[in-house]
Amino acid sequence: MTDSRLPTYFISHGGGPWPYMTGEFRRNFDVLDKSLLDMRAELGGTPKAVLVVSGHWEEEGLAISSGAKPGMIYDYNGFPEYLYHITYNAPGSPELAKRVRQLLRASGIEAALDPTRGYDHGTFSVMKPLYPDEDIPVVQLSLDTGYDPALHIKVGRALAPLREEGIVIIGSGLSYHNLSAMRGTGGYEPSRRFDAWLQETLIHSPSEKRTERLTEWERAPAARAAHPREDHLLPLMVVVGAAEDEPGAVTYHQKDFAGGLTASSFRFGRPPSATRSDGDAK
């Protein structure tokens, strides 16, 4: 018997519009790129849609992108001019947006529909290598500016039924996100210490302990050195909440990200390829 639930993912999405670039800067993301190709392979057949919780969208209260044809948001600076004209033309899904709001409301969580929200780079930097044909519908979910980890875990719990409806839930952020430290060497050790805590929490802790540790993430070694603002960490809370009792695994790990930082991505739940193999074995 196979499990129809799709896994959830937290992806360290890299820098700016990297999938659209060439040359040395683009080669910095070769390991991340391969992890996304592997993710596509392990998901197997085409998902019905993707829900992205982006670290680049914050609202007072939650919001859901509900437009049928989302535009683009170029939320980065200092890149060549052509990177402010790139496109990712995957359709939105007003139907999925309404379903997300329905599930949240059923758990007592209000969320607004936003028909004008375009794809930010937390979304298209992941989706471009993952589904380059731009044919999979994508809906985005914002963070709440209150930054309450328990709320974002609760949001994930509310959205868990989507996993049985062919929807892949992706949290897009970075396991280490201190922009000022990234420009020097000050992030090397904090990124390693915080990553080690993430590995212990997400992979080696029982589910109850994992949830507790994430709720109190500020107690982690180098927590605030790794995340002065937790916008790039909170997407992790949502995807863990949606797969709270299921095992975690590393899907990407790099000790020389951006010249010497440690960064990781994680999967929660088993990929369809694994559950199909189990079913065939039986």
Side-chain angles (χ1 to χ4, degrees), residues 18 55 61 63 97 161 186 194 198 210 216 224 228-229 231:
W18 66 267
F194 190 73
L198 282 175
R210 180 170 67 185
E216 300 177 351
R224 281 299 178 187
R229 295 177 72 249
D231 49 302

Side-chain angles (χ1 to χ4, degrees), residues 13-164:
H13 62 229
W18 66 267
Y20 295 81
M21 302 180 72
T22 58
E24 184 177 353
F25 184 85
R26 174 62 176 78
R27 288 193 292 273
N28 290 325
F29 302 98
D30 284 351
V31 179
L32 175 58
D33 188 32
K34 183 181 184 302
S35 75
L36 293 169
L37 298 180
D38 291 344
M39 176 179 164
R40 187 202 311 171
E42 75 179 15
L43 283 170
T46 304
K48 293 181 180 178
V50 178
L51 176 66
V52 179
V53 185
S54 173
H56 286 270
W57 187 16
E58 304 173 36
E59 298 285 351
E60 293 184 2
L62 299 174
I64 309 158
S65 67
S66 59
K69 296 181 179 180
M72 298 287 285
I73 298 175
Y74 305 111
D75 53 345
Y76 40 80
N77 297 294
F79 288 89
E81 178 62 24
Y82 78 93
L83 293 169
Y84 299 89
H85 303 280
I86 57 177
T87 59
Y88 188 75
N89 292 316
S93 175
E95 296 78 15
L96 175 56
K98 292 175 183 176
R99 174 65 173 146
V100 169
R101 183 171 66 171
Q102 176 191 43
L103 289 170
L104 291 174
R105 282 182 167 176
S107 292
I109 303 169
E110 285 299 321
L113 298 180
D114 185 343
T116 66
R117 178 71 184 186
Y119 295 138
D120 58 59
H121 90 256
T123 296
F124 63 73
S125 66
V126 169
M127 293 302 300
K128 181 64 174 178
L130 188 56
Y131 293 111
D133 293 338
E134 304 177 5
D135 55 351
I136 308 297
V138 180
V139 168
Q140 298 172 115
L141 175 65
S142 79
L143 304 175
D144 179 89
T145 54
Y147 286 168
D148 180 359
L151 170 63
H152 290 83
I153 292 170
K154 182 179 178 181
V155 166
R157 292 177 185 139
L159 298 177
L162 294 175
R163 299 175 55 210
E164 298 183 12

